[in-house]
Amino acid sequence: MKTTLKGKHLVRLQDWSNEDIDTLMEIALDLKMKKALNIPHHVLQDKTLFMLFFEESTRTRNAFESGMTQLGGHAIYLTPKATQIDHGETPKDTIKVLSRMGHGIGIRWCDLGKGNKYINEVAKWSDIPVYNMQDDYWHPTQGLADLLTVREKFGTNLRGLKFVVSWTYAPKYVRPLSMPQELVTLMPRFGMDVTLAIPPEFKMLPEVWKMAEENAKKAGSKLQIVNDMDEAFKDADIVYPKSWGPLAYTLDEKEGLALIDKYPQWVVNEKRMELTKRHSTYMHCMPADRGIEVTDGVMDGPHSVIYDQAENRLHAHKALMAATMA
Ligand code: CP
């Protein structure tokens, strides 16, 4: 276990070693047990977390906010409009001031070409830990919760498990690439064989896919792309289907929406789940488009671990804050 994570930013998990991440997993389980047994764990008493959201959130915001309360601290919800950011205050001035007042800051901004750049700029000037609450490239706190969930369901030796990240059809909205990019880079590091199932236009950004390939090679895991959802689901241990936009293919929203509409058959239903192993798990970071990308039968069915996964946001975020702020 690492005891030297104090002050560390989490902009992307690629900058955290497997040992660092294992440490968070252990702390998360300890804090989860303490919460279940009602054992106080106010390790962040009198500390303040700033949460700056450029976009809306249910899970991320509430996991950080309630997590901070349970750790004895306080979280403040900020938006560009509620601060001087909308009037043009620079990332440097914003974070230099907040660093004098609080103990950590989380930021969500998923706009392609903007979010990751902004969070990196804040991290450069910050004297307090900076947490990426999802940007255009990464969703590291979701990645931590997902890894925690997989470890709870399958144990700590994950070598050789077939982990499927699949695109799904969900119209009307071009979602960011951050979630699939998080999964294809993170899961191979922990020994899982990752299959990315996509229509051809829904690839990851090239530099991210290269990183995923390097991670898999280093860990001795397999990584492949298939263009057929059924082929991917066959004998899978874990399936993680969700929708995202064809942002590595086109930045034109109209063209992106038209491309999504080409693939309405890319949905998850009970028949598709039958292709997976008997003990397989269905994961989704949520929010999901019920009845569109996935049936209620799968979301509420025996393979689904979606609510455990969402709950683990709380425990993973608490671990992150406790390890870096305490
Ligand atoms: N999965 C996730 O990040 O959910 P929210 O958008 O509700 O935070």
Side-chain angles (χ1 to χ4, degrees):
M1 175 177 272
K2 278 281 198 66
T3 53
T4 53
L5 296 174
K6 192 175 161 80
K8 194 171 169 68
H9 301 318
L10 175 56
V11 178
R12 55 176 202 172
L13 280 173
Q14 194 68 18
D15 300 323
W16 284 56
S17 69
N18 281 25
E19 194 185 355
D20 294 340
I21 294 170
D22 282 339
T23 296
L24 293 189
M25 297 292 112
E26 287 178 45
I27 297 171
L29 285 179
D30 182 58
L31 295 176
K32 187 170 183 174
M33 185 195 65
K34 287 191 166 72
K35 178 174 181 289
L37 298 179
N38 212 17
I39 298 171
H41 44 283
H42 289 175
V43 297
L44 296 182
Q45 192 150 10
D46 301 328
K47 303 225 169 170
T48 301
L49 171 73
F50 300 109
M51 306 184 300
L52 174 58
F53 280 88
F54 287 71
E55 288 114 7
E56 64 282 359
S57 162
T58 297
R59 280 143 289 271
T60 309
R61 174 187 172 177
N62 290 296
F64 270 106
E65 191 161 340
S66 55
M68 199 57 187
T69 303
Q70 289 164 29
L71 292 169
H74 177 61
I76 299 177
Y77 179 68
L78 302 171
T79 64
K81 260 195 177 16
T83 59
Q84 298 293 6
I85 294 168
D86 251 11
H87 291 150
E89 188 154 64
T90 63
K92 179 182 176 182
D93 287 346
T94 302
I95 194 60
K96 281 284 175 198
V97 171
L98 293 178
S99 289
R100 299 286 180 101
M101 298 177 183
H103 305 88
I105 179 166
I107 303 167
R108 166 174 287 192
W109 195 4
C110 298
D111 266 12
L112 191 61
K114 293 183 183 165
N116 186 259
K117 200 167 159 224
Y118 184 87
I119 296 173
N120 271 300
E121 183 69 10
V122 170
K124 191 170 90 184
W125 298 111
S126 182
D127 301 317
I128 56 178
V130 173
Y131 310 129
N132 180 346
M133 291 176 166
Q134 190 178 12
D135 67 22
D136 41 334
Y137 273 74
W138 312 112
H139 198 353
T141 61
Q142 178 76 54
L144 289 171
D146 294 344
L147 185 62
L148 183 62
T149 308
V150 171
R151 285 165 62 118
E152 284 181 335
K153 305 299 174 192
F154 292 92
T156 50
N157 180 6
L158 305 173
R159 181 141 311 271
L161 288 181
K162 183 176 180 183
F163 190 107
V164 175
V165 181
S166 176
W167 183 82
T168 56
Y169 169 75
K172 296 197 181 95
Y173 176 43
V174 176
R175 292 174 170 84
L177 289 166
S178 43
M179 200 56 249
Q181 294 196 154
E182 190 63 58
L183 296 170
V184 299
T185 49
L186 177 64
M187 296 310 177
R189 292 173 59 186
F190 289 86
M192 285 171 268
D193 294 333
V194 172
T195 296
L196 177 66
I198 48 167
E201 301 90 345
F202 290 81
K203 289 189 173 127
M204 307 293 94
L205 293 169
E207 65 271 30
V208 171
W209 188 251
K210 190 164 174 274
M211 190 186 286
E213 286 180 326
E214 285 166 4
N215 287 355
K217 190 171 173 205
K218 200 166 152 202
S221 316
K222 293 181 194 143
L223 180 70
Q224 63 166 348
I225 297 181
V226 299
N227 298 129
D228 182 317
M229 207 172 179
D230 286 340
E231 182 189 338
F233 271 46
K234 197 164 179 316
D235 295 326
D237 295 285
I238 300 145
V239 290
Y240 200 130
K242 82 168 298 293
S243 146
W244 62 86
L247 295 165
Y249 183 85
T250 178
L251 294 179
D252 184 291
E253 194 175 335
K254 212 168 143 206
E255 190 185 358
L257 290 170
L259 278 170
I260 291 170
D261 276 340
K262 266 176 71 182
Y263 302 104
Q265 69 278 27
W266 281 67
V267 295
V268 188
N269 52 34
E270 290 86 332
K271 196 161 176 287
R272 255 197 181 122
M273 285 306 298
E274 278 173 22
L275 297 168
T276 66
K277 287 193 183 144
R278 264 171 90 86
H279 64 253
S280 72
T281 58
Y282 166 83
M283 299 180 75
H284 197 299
C285 57
M286 302 172 85
D289 286 331
R290 278 179 180 261
I292 300 173
E293 61 169 315
V294 55
T295 60
D296 285 336
V298 172
M299 285 284 276
D300 302 321
H303 297 278
S304 176
V305 297
I306 55 170
Y307 300 125
D308 295 336
Q309 194 184 345
E311 181 194 330
N312 279 337
R313 299 295 301 278
L314 171 71
H315 310 300
H317 299 187
K318 284 170 72 178
L320 172 66
M321 292 189 287
T324 55
M325 265 195 255

